[in-house]
Amino acid sequence: MIKQMRYGNRITAMIAACCVSITVLTSGASFAFADSADQSSHDAAAQTTTVQVISSEAGDLSEAVDKGADAQEEVIDQADVVKSAGALQESDESSAAPSEPTVVSGADGPGQSVDEPGTPVLDGWVTDNDGFVRYYELGERLSGEQYIEDEVTGEYHWYCFWPEADDAMQVGWSWVPSSEGGKWCYYDAQGRMMYGQQYIDGHWYRFDDFTGVTTYGFSYIADEGKWVFYDEAMGWMLYGQQCVDGHWYYFDDATGATQYGFRYIPEDNKWVFYDLTMGWMLYGEQYIDEGWYYLTPYTGAVDYEWCYIPESNKWVYYNSTSGRMIYGQHMIDGSPRYFDDCTGKLLSSSEVVQKLLDVVYGTYGRNIDCPGELAANDGIVCPYGPCMSYVWWNFHHANLDLFLCDGMKSGYPHHNYDWYKARGRVSGTPRVGDIAFMRYFGWADSIGASVSHAGIVIAVNDNSALVVDALDAGIWPRWYGSWEISGYAHPYWG
C-alpha cells in the first residue's frame, strides 16, 4: 500500500522508519515506493527483479520536506508517480500471467513445478510424506487394482492401491475385493502382482497364471508332471500324510507330489496303497498288479499272513513279505496248506481230500508210467514195484506234493511209512484220503523194510478199507481187511 504523508515532520518520521524499495518492472520504465510489508506480498504475486535501497533516497526526501511547501508539493508529485507505477504494474500482471506449472514426474518421487507458483500437479509414481508409494495421473490419485506400464521395459503389470490405506501401493500379501467377493494376491517388492509357483517365507504357493489369485486345494503342475495340494486355509503346499475331504493322501516330503501305489509310512511302520488314479488311500480287499491284497480298514495298512474276510466267509493267507494273497499249496507254520487257486480260500481237510480223489478216480484201468515220471522229477525209484510211485503220482497231479511227507519224493513204501510213523501220524483206523501200508514177505525181509506195499484209501467200511493201488493186474480199487494193513498214514489236511 502506498502511504501518502502531507504534514512536515510526520512525513520525515514515516520515511525514516521505512525501508524504501525500488522495483524495476518488466516494462523497465517506472519506479514504485512501498513499505516492506506491501513489497513482500507484491513479490509473491509477480515474478520481477527487485533491487532494495536503504535510506539514501529516504534522506534526500527528508531534506526536501525541510525546505517547506515546495518540497511538500514535490513529495506529493512523487507519490502520484508511485500511484501511476502501481496501476501500470497491475495492468502488466493481468495481461502477462505466468503459464500453467510444468511437472517433472518419475519413479523417484513427486514432480516439481518449474514455475512453482503453488502445489504441483502430481503425475506417476510418488513417495508421499507418510513413506508410502502411490500413483497419480495428472494430479488424480489411483485406487484399487491398476494395470500400469513399466516406463523402462514397456511391460504392463498389475498393482494394488488399497483404498483403506489411503491408496498406498501394496507389497506382499493383499486382499483384493472383487464382484465375486475378493481374492488373496501377492505383490513383489516393486508392487507387481506375482503369478505361478512362488517360494515365500519358507512355503511354496501357486498364483493363477492369469488372475494372480492364490490357489487352494489340488493343482496340477504341468511342467513338473505332478499333482500337489495347497492348504485350503493358508494356501501353502502340503507334504506327507494329509486327510483331504475324508480321504488320506501322501504328498512327497520334498516335492509335494501326490503319491500313488504302495508307500511305506515309517512313523506308523506300515505299508499302504494309494489309488493309481485318484491318489487316495485304499482299504479292504484290493486287486493290484494281478494280485489280491488286504488293506486293513481304518488304517489302510497292508495285512500279512492269516486274515479272515468276513464278507467272503473265508480264511486267506497273505505273503509274509509282500502282503500278496497266496494260492495253491504252501508250507505255513510248518504244515502243508492248500489255498483255492481262484479265491485264495483256505481249503478244509475234506476239500483237500476231494482234490486228491478227483485225480485217483481218473486212473482206473490206466497204464501209467509212474516210476518214469517220478524219476523225471528227481525222485527215488523203487526197483521192487510201482506202488509207491503211483501214490506219489496222484499227489503230484493233484498239486498236493507237500502233503506227501512234506514233499519227499521216494518210490520206496517204507521211506514214506517211516516218515509218518516218526511224527505220530500212523494209526490202525482208516480214513478216506489216508495212505494204506502193507507188508508182504519177500524183498522187505531181505532189506529189513518196515512195509513193502502202499495205496490210497477211497472208502471205509468198519475196519475194512477200499484202496486203489498199482499191481501187476493194473490200477484198480480193492478191499483190504484190517489184518492185512500195517497202518494208515494221515496226511495233514489242515
Side-chain angles (χ1 to χ4, degrees):
M1 181 182 293
I2 305 300
K3 306 285 187 181
Q4 294 187 12
M5 301 300 177
R6 297 178 181 273
Y7 301 99
N9 295 331
R10 292 177 61 190
I11 276 183
T12 302
M14 292 297 292
I15 292 175
C18 293
C19 174
V20 179
S21 296
I22 300 175
T23 304
V24 181
L25 302 179
T26 56
S27 64
S30 299
F31 294 87
F33 295 86
D35 62 27
S36 58
D38 288 342
Q39 183 64 32
S40 297
S41 62
H42 185 70
D43 288 344
Q47 300 295 321
T48 62
T49 304
T50 302
V51 179
Q52 195 174 55
V53 182
I54 307 297
S55 75
S56 62
E57 286 81 359
D60 293 339
L61 288 175
S62 298
E63 293 176 2
V65 171
D66 291 339
K67 292 179 180 180
D70 293 338
Q72 290 181 3
E73 291 298 328
E74 183 179 350
V75 171
I76 291 171
D77 292 341
Q78 291 189 20
D80 292 337
V81 172
V82 171
K83 286 184 179 180
S84 298
L88 178 59
Q89 181 175 358
E90 291 176 1
S91 175
D92 290 342
E93 289 176 351
S94 62
S95 62
S99 60
E100 184 176 350
T102 301
V103 178
V104 179
S105 62
D108 295 332
Q112 301 298 323
S113 171
V114 173
D115 298 323
E116 296 187 352
T119 303
V121 176
L122 303 178
D123 193 60
W125 293 104
V126 174
T127 301
D128 285 330
N129 293 332
D130 58 5
F132 289 100
V133 177
R134 295 176 174 85
Y135 193 86
Y136 294 81
E137 283 188 354
L138 298 178
E140 180 180 354
R141 191 169 72 190
L142 300 189
S143 182
E145 282 193 290
Q146 299 293 334
Y147 199 48
I148 300 174
E149 181 183 12
D150 188 313
E151 295 179 357
V152 177
T153 65
E155 297 177 350
Y156 280 84
H157 300 281
W158 280 103
Y159 299 81
C160 180
F161 304 95
W162 203 9
E164 287 77 3
D166 294 330
D167 301 326
M169 184 189 77
Q170 298 301 292
V171 174
W173 291 103
S174 182
W175 173 256
V176 181
S178 68
S179 58
E180 290 80 18
K183 62 183 180 181
W184 279 103
C185 299
Y186 191 86
Y187 299 89
D188 66 11
Q190 287 72 46
R192 298 172 297 191
M193 181 180 287
M194 305 295 287
Y195 303 91
Q197 292 191 89
Q198 300 293 335
Y199 192 67
I200 301 170
D201 297 332
H203 295 281
W204 280 102
Y205 298 83
R206 187 180 186 187
F207 304 97
D208 187 87
D209 295 330
F210 298 99
T211 67
V213 64
T214 302
T215 299
Y216 301 93
F218 281 103
S219 181
Y220 183 67
I221 311 298
D223 53 348
E224 298 181 34
K226 66 181 182 181
W227 281 95
V228 298
F229 188 86
Y230 297 98
D231 186 86
E232 293 180 331
M234 303 304 296
W236 53 44
M237 185 181 290
L238 296 184
Y239 304 88
Q241 290 190 90
Q242 300 292 337
C243 187
V244 179
D245 296 331
H247 294 282
W248 281 97
Y249 298 82
Y250 197 95
F251 304 102
D252 187 84
D253 297 323
T255 68
T258 301
Q259 299 298 287
Y260 303 91
F262 284 107
R263 175 82 188 194
Y264 180 66
I265 311 297
E267 57 267 32
D268 296 332
N269 189 30
K270 67 180 181 181
W271 281 92
V272 298
F273 188 87
Y274 297 99
D275 187 84
L276 296 176
T277 301
M278 303 304 297
W280 54 44
M281 184 182 289
L282 298 182
Y283 305 89
E285 283 191 287
Q286 298 293 335
Y287 191 68
I288 302 168
D289 295 333
E290 300 183 353
W292 284 97
Y293 297 80
Y294 191 79
L295 309 174
T296 307
Y298 305 110
T299 69
V302 174
D303 205 348
Y304 300 94
E305 302 182 352
W306 291 108
C307 181
Y308 179 68
I309 311 296
E311 54 268 32
S312 302
N313 188 28
K314 66 181 181 182
W315 280 96
V316 297
Y317 193 89
Y318 297 99
N319 184 279
S320 59
T321 301
S322 68
R324 193 182 185 96
M325 182 182 287
I326 63 174
Y327 304 89
Q329 59 176 339
H330 291 273
M331 292 295 294
I332 306 294
D333 301 327
S335 300
R337 309 278 182 164
Y338 199 93
F339 302 91
D340 187 87
D341 296 321
C342 294
T343 67
K345 173 183 176 294
L346 174 67
L347 298 188
S348 64
S349 60
S350 60
E351 290 172 322
V352 174
V353 169
Q354 191 59 52
K355 278 183 63 66
L356 178 63
L357 297 182
D358 288 343
V359 175
V360 173
Y361 296 152
T363 63
Y364 294 174
R366 294 176 58 189
N367 184 17
I368 302 172
D369 183 12
C370 300
E373 191 166 336
L374 175 61
N377 283 271
D378 300 324
I380 300 173
V381 176
C382 176
Y384 304 108
C387 63
M388 194 65 219
S389 296
Y390 168 74
V391 172
W392 171 84
W393 189 93
N394 283 279
F395 274 85
H396 178 67
H397 282 265
N399 197 23
L400 297 173
D401 299 76
L402 294 177
F403 289 84
L404 182 61
C405 302
D406 289 356
M408 184 174 68
K409 303 174 183 179
S410 176
Y412 285 93
H414 64 285
H415 287 171
N416 294 267
Y417 177 81
D418 294 344
W419 189 92
Y420 284 111
K421 184 80 171 178
R423 289 161 178 75
R425 290 163 60 183
V426 174
S427 74
T429 303
R431 293 182 301 187
V432 174
D434 282 355
I435 303 171
F437 289 96
M438 306 82 166
R439 189 177 190 282
Y440 299 114
F441 298 106
W443 68 266
D445 293 327
S446 64
I447 65 172
S450 55
V451 294
S452 58
H453 188 66
I456 299 173
V457 178
I458 62 171
V460 175
N461 183 13
D462 294 331
N463 289 327
S464 298
L466 185 60
V467 178
V468 179
D469 54 2
L471 294 174
D472 292 339
I475 301 172
W476 297 102
R478 301 173 178 86
W479 284 100
Y480 288 86
S482 58
W483 62 92
E484 300 176 86
I485 303 297
S486 299
Y488 298 99
H490 309 303
Y492 194 84
W493 302 124

